[in-house]
Amino acid sequence: MPNTVRTKFDHAHWQSRLDDLRAEHHVPGATLAVLAEGEIHELASGVLHRGTGVAATTDSIFQLGSIAKVYTAALVLGLAEEGRLNLDAPVVEVLPEFATIDPAATKTITARQLLSHTGGLTCDFVEDTGRGDDCLAKYVEAARGVALDCPPGTAASYSSVGYNVLGRIVEVLTGLTWDDALRERLVLPLGLAETMTLPEEALRFRVAMGHLGPDPDPEPTAAWDLLPRSAGPFGRVLATAGDVVRFARMLLDGTAPDGTRVLAEETVTMMRRLEAEVPDKWTLGSEGWGLGPSIHDWNGVPGFGHNGSSIGQRSCLRVVPDAGVAFALLTNHGTTDRLYNELSRELLGEVAGVEVPGDFAPPASPPSVDVAPFAGTYRREGVIITVTETAGKLHFVYEFADGLKGIAPPIETDLVPVSEGVFAGMNPMFGDDWMPVLFTKLPDGTECCHTSMRVAPKIEAAG
């Protein structure tokens, strides 16, 4: 049964829970904003930087990471609403310079597929194309030779490259840079005074520094930000938790607080509709992708949201439209899943009456599974996955490659069966929590390994 819903948002209660859970999980600083009963409540806890001791406050700026994709999706759907973009037409019709390594695939990929991560474009291709206003145009050109994760329309594979292509479409159709289009079409109409895209814009605010390293003493990261300007559409929005929730509130009915219409109600409803199911229901706790957000079903209660990460910072957004509830949690530690899991379960339960499933983990008595067929080498841009089998058990090694080579040590873990094709492994990058690893086949029979919502095709069977 759903949890009991509190009749009034209890600020003192949730401040206490944020303080306690942040300390328990060794997160230096966190901000939380909650939309409930038509009002936005903002809370903060801890410090922005363990070296300086500057306190986190509700007006502190954090990096949102991939939550930026939802902002880009809103821009794209606004253009479609105006009749300036056909979501189901090939991208090359509006962006002739767009290309992939597969000429046949290039001719068929649509904006709808890019929005729902079904275009086949990969994720982990980061290219610094400079600080100029042409950085996205240069990025799209540089990505032309990057391998696809899968043929378009055959699977959902989380794609940052696809969102940069969408960002470039925004630029071509508006005549503005992506940064300026975001400002003119979303930030200003919504009154998001604490939302920006460039680091120099953040300097006049209190800004969070990321932290990494083992608990209980994570250290400030050596650099505040490693993403180039060209990462904007997929990962470079900077904001307060309150501004994130103000943006999310617009996604409920399409209007700003003063009644200004930003998007049609039909458009935001379309964004929140399940477009592509995914086999991995655990990484985001979602059913799949809408046109931008992740789509959730909490025991029959629909919701949407997105997660994000940057160097030493994590963010999450969840919205329950039927309850008029949204919350954003921003943190300055790279391993905050436990804080998020506990807080979101309590918050959505008590404020929205939602039952959030428990954390992903293998069963106490794992099933017997023939694991030998899963052994082999899997490859996508930026990552090599090696799966070996010994005495009926699988060992998993996840190594960064290409432009990401050396960015972090390999993830290495034994895999525990959860069900046929679904396994659990410990992930030291995110606090030694269980991560799902799935083995599936594409419609053409290609074997794949799914991790972090991304598809990596098998390139070599076990010897």
Side-chain angles (χ1 to χ4, degrees), residues 83-99 103-114 140 144 165-166 168-170 172-173:
R84 300 164 72 178
L85 176 67
N86 181 349
L87 296 180
D88 297 306
V91 166
V92 289
E93 290 188 7
V94 67
L95 200 64
E97 65 269 32
F98 168 69
T106 298
K107 296 176 182 178
T108 68
I109 294 170
T110 67
R112 184 181 299 275
Q113 289 177 326
L114 298 184
V140 171
R144 293 162 64 104
V165 173
L166 291 168
R168 179 59 184 153
I169 289 173
V170 170
V172 168
L173 293 180

Short mmCIF file of all heavy atoms in Angstrom, two decimals, residues 83-99 103-114 140 144 165-166 168-170 172-173:
data_model
loop_
_atom_site.label_atom_id
_atom_site.label_comp_id
_atom_site.label_asym_id
_atom_site.label_seq_id
_atom_site.Cartn_x
_atom_site.Cartn_y
_atom_site.Cartn_z
N GLY A 83 6.07 24.05 -35.46
CA GLY A 83 6.07 23.61 -36.85
C GLY A 83 7.39 23.78 -37.56
O GLY A 83 7.48 23.64 -38.79
N ARG A 84 8.45 24.05 -36.81
CA ARG A 84 9.76 24.28 -37.42
C ARG A 84 10.60 23.01 -37.50
O ARG A 84 11.68 23.01 -38.11
CB ARG A 84 10.51 25.37 -36.63
CG ARG A 84 9.75 26.69 -36.62
CD ARG A 84 10.26 27.64 -35.55
NE ARG A 84 11.56 28.21 -35.87
CZ ARG A 84 12.18 29.09 -35.10
NH1 ARG A 84 11.61 29.49 -33.96
NH2 ARG A 84 13.35 29.58 -35.45
N LEU A 85 10.13 21.94 -36.90
CA LEU A 85 10.85 20.67 -36.90
C LEU A 85 9.87 19.51 -36.91
O LEU A 85 8.94 19.48 -36.11
CB LEU A 85 11.75 20.58 -35.65
CG LEU A 85 12.50 19.25 -35.45
CD1 LEU A 85 13.54 19.07 -36.57
CD2 LEU A 85 13.17 19.22 -34.08
N ASN A 86 10.07 18.58 -37.82
CA ASN A 86 9.30 17.34 -37.87
C ASN A 86 10.09 16.28 -37.13
O ASN A 86 11.16 15.86 -37.58
CB ASN A 86 9.06 16.93 -39.32
CG ASN A 86 8.23 15.65 -39.44
OD1 ASN A 86 8.01 14.95 -38.46
ND2 ASN A 86 7.80 15.35 -40.65
N LEU A 87 9.58 15.83 -35.99
CA LEU A 87 10.32 14.87 -35.17
C LEU A 87 10.56 13.55 -35.87
O LEU A 87 11.49 12.82 -35.53
CB LEU A 87 9.56 14.61 -33.86
CG LEU A 87 9.39 15.79 -32.90
CD1 LEU A 87 8.63 15.34 -31.67
CD2 LEU A 87 10.72 16.39 -32.50
N ASP A 88 9.74 13.22 -36.86
CA ASP A 88 9.83 11.92 -37.52
C ASP A 88 10.49 11.98 -38.89
O ASP A 88 10.56 10.97 -39.59
CB ASP A 88 8.42 11.31 -37.63
CG ASP A 88 7.82 11.05 -36.26
OD1 ASP A 88 8.48 10.37 -35.45
OD2 ASP A 88 6.71 11.54 -35.99
N ALA A 89 10.97 13.14 -39.26
CA ALA A 89 11.73 13.27 -40.51
C ALA A 89 13.21 13.00 -40.23
O ALA A 89 13.70 13.23 -39.12
CB ALA A 89 11.55 14.66 -41.10
N PRO A 90 13.94 12.51 -41.22
CA PRO A 90 15.38 12.30 -41.02
C PRO A 90 16.09 13.60 -40.60
O PRO A 90 15.79 14.68 -41.11
CB PRO A 90 15.86 11.83 -42.39
CG PRO A 90 14.66 11.22 -43.03
CD PRO A 90 13.50 12.06 -42.55
N VAL A 91 17.00 13.47 -39.66
CA VAL A 91 17.75 14.62 -39.16
C VAL A 91 18.45 15.36 -40.30
O VAL A 91 18.57 16.59 -40.29
CB VAL A 91 18.77 14.15 -38.10
CG1 VAL A 91 19.79 15.24 -37.80
CG2 VAL A 91 18.05 13.73 -36.82
N VAL A 92 18.92 14.61 -41.32
CA VAL A 92 19.68 15.25 -42.40
C VAL A 92 18.84 16.26 -43.17
O VAL A 92 19.39 17.11 -43.88
CB VAL A 92 20.25 14.19 -43.37
CG1 VAL A 92 21.38 13.42 -42.70
CG2 VAL A 92 19.16 13.25 -43.88
N GLU A 93 17.51 16.20 -43.05
CA GLU A 93 16.69 17.18 -43.76
C GLU A 93 16.85 18.58 -43.18
O GLU A 93 16.72 19.56 -43.90
CB GLU A 93 15.21 16.76 -43.71
CG GLU A 93 14.91 15.53 -44.56
CD GLU A 93 13.42 15.26 -44.66
OE1 GLU A 93 12.62 16.10 -44.18
OE2 GLU A 93 13.05 14.21 -45.20
N VAL A 94 17.12 18.68 -41.88
CA VAL A 94 17.33 19.99 -41.27
C VAL A 94 18.80 20.24 -40.98
O VAL A 94 19.23 21.38 -40.83
CB VAL A 94 16.49 20.11 -39.97
CG1 VAL A 94 16.98 19.17 -38.89
CG2 VAL A 94 16.51 21.55 -39.45
N LEU A 95 19.58 19.16 -40.92
CA LEU A 95 21.01 19.26 -40.60
C LEU A 95 21.79 18.43 -41.63
O LEU A 95 22.24 17.31 -41.35
CB LEU A 95 21.24 18.73 -39.18
CG LEU A 95 22.52 19.16 -38.45
CD1 LEU A 95 22.53 20.66 -38.23
CD2 LEU A 95 22.62 18.42 -37.11
N PRO A 96 21.95 18.94 -42.84
CA PRO A 96 22.57 18.15 -43.91
C PRO A 96 23.97 17.65 -43.58
O PRO A 96 24.41 16.63 -44.12
CB PRO A 96 22.60 19.12 -45.11
CG PRO A 96 21.54 20.12 -44.80
CD PRO A 96 21.53 20.27 -43.30
N GLU A 97 24.68 18.37 -42.72
CA GLU A 97 26.05 17.96 -42.38
C GLU A 97 26.10 16.80 -41.39
O GLU A 97 27.17 16.23 -41.13
CB GLU A 97 26.83 19.14 -41.81
CG GLU A 97 26.31 19.68 -40.47
CD GLU A 97 25.29 20.79 -40.63
OE1 GLU A 97 24.55 20.78 -41.61
OE2 GLU A 97 25.25 21.66 -39.74
N PHE A 98 24.95 16.43 -40.82
CA PHE A 98 24.92 15.30 -39.89
C PHE A 98 25.27 14.01 -40.63
O PHE A 98 24.76 13.75 -41.72
CB PHE A 98 23.54 15.17 -39.24
CG PHE A 98 23.33 13.87 -38.49
CD1 PHE A 98 24.02 13.63 -37.31
CD2 PHE A 98 22.46 12.91 -38.98
CE1 PHE A 98 23.84 12.43 -36.62
CE2 PHE A 98 22.27 11.71 -38.29
CZ PHE A 98 22.96 11.48 -37.11
N ALA A 99 26.12 13.20 -40.01
CA ALA A 99 26.47 11.90 -40.58
C ALA A 99 26.95 10.97 -39.48
O ALA A 99 27.40 11.42 -38.42
CB ALA A 99 27.54 12.05 -41.65
N PRO A 103 26.41 5.14 -43.59
CA PRO A 103 25.63 6.04 -44.46
C PRO A 103 24.15 5.68 -44.52
O PRO A 103 23.30 6.58 -44.58
CB PRO A 103 26.30 5.87 -45.82
CG PRO A 103 27.69 5.42 -45.53
CD PRO A 103 27.56 4.55 -44.31
N ALA A 104 23.82 4.39 -44.49
CA ALA A 104 22.41 3.99 -44.54
C ALA A 104 21.69 4.43 -43.28
O ALA A 104 20.54 4.91 -43.33
CB ALA A 104 22.30 2.48 -44.73
N ALA A 105 22.33 4.27 -42.12
CA ALA A 105 21.73 4.70 -40.85
C ALA A 105 21.54 6.21 -40.83
O ALA A 105 20.52 6.72 -40.35
CB ALA A 105 22.60 4.25 -39.68
N THR A 106 22.52 6.93 -41.36
CA THR A 106 22.45 8.39 -41.37
C THR A 106 21.17 8.88 -42.01
O THR A 106 20.54 9.85 -41.54
CB THR A 106 23.66 8.96 -42.12
OG1 THR A 106 24.87 8.58 -41.45
CG2 THR A 106 23.59 10.48 -42.20
N LYS A 107 20.74 8.22 -43.08
CA LYS A 107 19.57 8.66 -43.83
C LYS A 107 18.25 8.44 -43.08
O LYS A 107 17.24 9.01 -43.48
CB LYS A 107 19.52 7.93 -45.17
CG LYS A 107 20.68 8.24 -46.09
CD LYS A 107 20.61 7.41 -47.36
CE LYS A 107 21.80 7.68 -48.27
NZ LYS A 107 21.75 6.83 -49.50
N THR A 108 18.26 7.61 -42.02
CA THR A 108 17.00 7.25 -41.36
C THR A 108 16.84 7.83 -39.97
O THR A 108 15.72 7.90 -39.46
CB THR A 108 16.87 5.72 -41.25
OG1 THR A 108 17.86 5.22 -40.33
CG2 THR A 108 17.06 5.06 -42.61
N ILE A 109 17.91 8.24 -39.31
CA ILE A 109 17.83 8.67 -37.90
C ILE A 109 17.00 9.94 -37.79
O ILE A 109 17.20 10.91 -38.51
CB ILE A 109 19.24 8.89 -37.33
CG1 ILE A 109 20.00 7.56 -37.27
CG2 ILE A 109 19.18 9.52 -35.94
CD1 ILE A 109 21.47 7.70 -36.94
N THR A 110 16.04 9.93 -36.84
CA THR A 110 15.13 11.05 -36.65
C THR A 110 15.38 11.74 -35.31
O THR A 110 16.00 11.17 -34.40
CB THR A 110 13.68 10.58 -36.69
OG1 THR A 110 13.43 9.74 -35.54
CG2 THR A 110 13.37 9.80 -37.96
N ALA A 111 14.84 12.94 -35.17
CA ALA A 111 14.92 13.65 -33.90
C ALA A 111 14.19 12.89 -32.80
O ALA A 111 14.63 12.87 -31.65
CB ALA A 111 14.35 15.06 -34.05
N ARG A 112 13.07 12.26 -33.14
CA ARG A 112 12.35 11.47 -32.13
C ARG A 112 13.24 10.36 -31.59
O ARG A 112 13.26 10.09 -30.38
CB ARG A 112 11.07 10.88 -32.73
CG ARG A 112 10.21 10.13 -31.71
CD ARG A 112 8.97 9.53 -32.35
NE ARG A 112 8.11 10.53 -32.93
CZ ARG A 112 7.19 11.21 -32.25
NH1 ARG A 112 7.02 10.98 -30.96
NH2 ARG A 112 6.44 12.11 -32.87
N GLN A 113 13.97 9.70 -32.46
CA GLN A 113 14.88 8.64 -32.00
C GLN A 113 15.99 9.19 -31.13
O GLN A 113 16.35 8.58 -30.12
CB GLN A 113 15.46 7.90 -33.21
CG GLN A 113 14.45 7.03 -33.95
CD GLN A 113 15.04 6.38 -35.18
OE1 GLN A 113 15.90 6.95 -35.86
NE2 GLN A 113 14.60 5.17 -35.48
N LEU A 114 16.52 10.35 -31.47
CA LEU A 114 17.57 10.94 -30.64
C LEU A 114 17.02 11.33 -29.27
O LEU A 114 17.69 11.14 -28.25
CB LEU A 114 18.18 12.15 -31.34
CG LEU A 114 18.88 11.89 -32.67
CD1 LEU A 114 19.51 13.17 -33.20
CD2 LEU A 114 19.92 10.79 -32.56
N VAL A 140 29.62 18.02 -33.98
CA VAL A 140 28.83 17.16 -34.86
C VAL A 140 29.70 16.64 -36.00
O VAL A 140 29.59 15.47 -36.40
CB VAL A 140 27.60 17.93 -35.38
CG1 VAL A 140 26.88 17.13 -36.47
CG2 VAL A 140 26.64 18.22 -34.23
N ARG A 144 31.23 12.27 -36.71
CA ARG A 144 30.82 11.54 -37.91
C ARG A 144 31.47 10.17 -38.03
O ARG A 144 30.89 9.24 -38.57
CB ARG A 144 31.15 12.36 -39.16
CG ARG A 144 30.34 13.64 -39.30
CD ARG A 144 30.98 14.62 -40.27
NE ARG A 144 31.02 14.12 -41.62
CZ ARG A 144 30.21 14.52 -42.60
NH1 ARG A 144 29.28 15.44 -42.36
NH2 ARG A 144 30.31 14.05 -43.81
N VAL A 165 23.67 16.47 -31.10
CA VAL A 165 23.10 16.68 -32.43
C VAL A 165 21.80 17.47 -32.31
O VAL A 165 21.54 18.41 -33.07
CB VAL A 165 22.86 15.33 -33.14
CG1 VAL A 165 22.10 15.54 -34.46
CG2 VAL A 165 24.19 14.62 -33.40
N LEU A 166 20.98 17.14 -31.32
CA LEU A 166 19.75 17.90 -31.08
C LEU A 166 20.06 19.36 -30.74
O LEU A 166 19.36 20.28 -31.20
CB LEU A 166 18.95 17.26 -29.95
CG LEU A 166 18.33 15.89 -30.26
CD1 LEU A 166 17.81 15.24 -28.97
CD2 LEU A 166 17.20 16.01 -31.28
N ARG A 168 22.57 21.04 -31.77
CA ARG A 168 22.95 21.72 -33.02
C ARG A 168 21.72 22.03 -33.86
O ARG A 168 21.64 23.08 -34.51
CB ARG A 168 23.94 20.83 -33.79
CG ARG A 168 24.40 21.44 -35.12
CD ARG A 168 25.06 22.78 -34.95
NE ARG A 168 25.40 23.37 -36.25
CZ ARG A 168 25.50 24.67 -36.47
NH1 ARG A 168 25.31 25.55 -35.49
NH2 ARG A 168 25.81 25.12 -37.67
N ILE A 169 20.73 21.15 -33.87
CA ILE A 169 19.47 21.43 -34.57
C ILE A 169 18.82 22.69 -34.00
O ILE A 169 18.33 23.54 -34.76
CB ILE A 169 18.52 20.22 -34.45
CG1 ILE A 169 19.04 19.05 -35.30
CG2 ILE A 169 17.10 20.60 -34.89
CD1 ILE A 169 18.25 17.77 -35.12
N VAL A 170 18.85 22.83 -32.68
CA VAL A 170 18.31 24.04 -32.05
C VAL A 170 19.02 25.27 -32.58
O VAL A 170 18.39 26.29 -32.90
CB VAL A 170 18.43 23.95 -30.51
CG1 VAL A 170 18.11 25.29 -29.86
CG2 VAL A 170 17.52 22.86 -29.96
N VAL A 172 20.62 25.69 -35.47
CA VAL A 172 20.33 25.93 -36.88
C VAL A 172 18.94 26.54 -37.05
O VAL A 172 18.74 27.47 -37.84
CB VAL A 172 20.46 24.62 -37.68
CG1 VAL A 172 19.89 24.78 -39.07
CG2 VAL A 172 21.92 24.20 -37.76
N LEU A 173 17.96 26.05 -36.29
CA LEU A 173 16.59 26.52 -36.46
C LEU A 173 16.32 27.86 -35.79
O LEU A 173 15.41 28.58 -36.20
CB LEU A 173 15.61 25.47 -35.92
CG LEU A 173 15.56 24.15 -36.70
CD1 LEU A 173 14.56 23.20 -36.07
CD2 LEU A 173 15.22 24.40 -38.17
#
